[in-house]
Amino acid sequence: MPLNHIPGGAGSEKLLKLLTHHMEEQRKRKALMSCLEGKAMSEFEEAMSQIVGLQELKMQLRRWARGMFFDEKRRAMGLGIAKRRAPHMAFLGNPGTGKTMVARILGKLLHMVGILPTDKVTEVQRTDLVGEFVGHTGPKTRRKIHDAEGGILFVDEAYRLIPMQKSDDKDYGLEALEEIMSVMDSGKIVVVFAGYCEPMKRVIASNDGFCRRVTKFFYFDDFSTTELAEILHMKMKSPSDCSLLYGFKLHPSCSIEAIGELIAREITEEQRKQMNGGLVDTLLINARENLDSRLDFSCNDADTMITITLE
């Protein structure tokens, strides 16, 4: 039963206090064991290994993660230290550079060490927050904030909340941003704003309290052709059941070097910049279709039927 569903009354108040104390002790024990076994950091490193490139970002996240782990260990040992809240962040970079994936890893990390009650990441965009009429935006945004409590609120394309040009009609994006800002000091959620570097400057400038509340800025660089090839290999090595390439494999000729050269030759720099990691899924979908078009219906060789070649 959720604690906030326990009925009122003197006896229930005592029970609630006892359960809350028990949960806090459990949280401390979990944090201490996690640190002693090195389990939390190893799980974090395992998750980080799934991210290709972004070396500078990984260094910052590791430094920050170690600090959180040690703070939890100090607290679990009974040391009276100032509580460190998980900082609100801005992820700046082009689409497909891994911003959402990193946010999900952060959610797991913060939950792992007991800083957040859940590992959920609630992803929202302008349409999820902004209403069309007066009085719609506030309640709409508050519902999403409520949904995200205990986890991360990931505001994708956050710059869309602040239009580039002011129109005659009132825009409610700023109202949604102010609603989010109003709960950022509560400690109930961690907010991550994501978007292109340049347009995000509008968001930063639109609210005086933005830089006071958002203390971590992470820059996601575009992927190189070799990094895109590494992502493709990673997706093919351990595809999920829902992957369109589940059950297929790469021919030995499809090395990282060969695929990197293929991407450099066939895809323009502008296309790579616009899509980044999203390009890999398109490549693989096309590869499967190309395989089907090359196969003959008389083919009975199982290996040939599932092997993606460089061609």
Side-chain angles (χ1 to χ4, degrees), residues 125-155:
Q125 296 185 349
R126 177 187 165 91
T127 51
D128 301 308
L129 304 171
V130 180
E132 296 179 16
F133 310 106
V134 175
H136 281 196
T137 297
K140 197 173 181 181
T141 303
R142 285 193 289 274
R143 278 196 296 272
K144 285 297 179 183
I145 291 169
H146 179 72
D147 292 344
E149 276 189 13
I152 290 177
L153 179 68
F154 183 79
V155 187

Side-chain angles (χ1 to χ4, degrees), residues 1-8 12 16:
M1 180 188 290
L3 293 185
N4 59 359
H5 281 63
I6 294 175
S12 296
L16 181 62

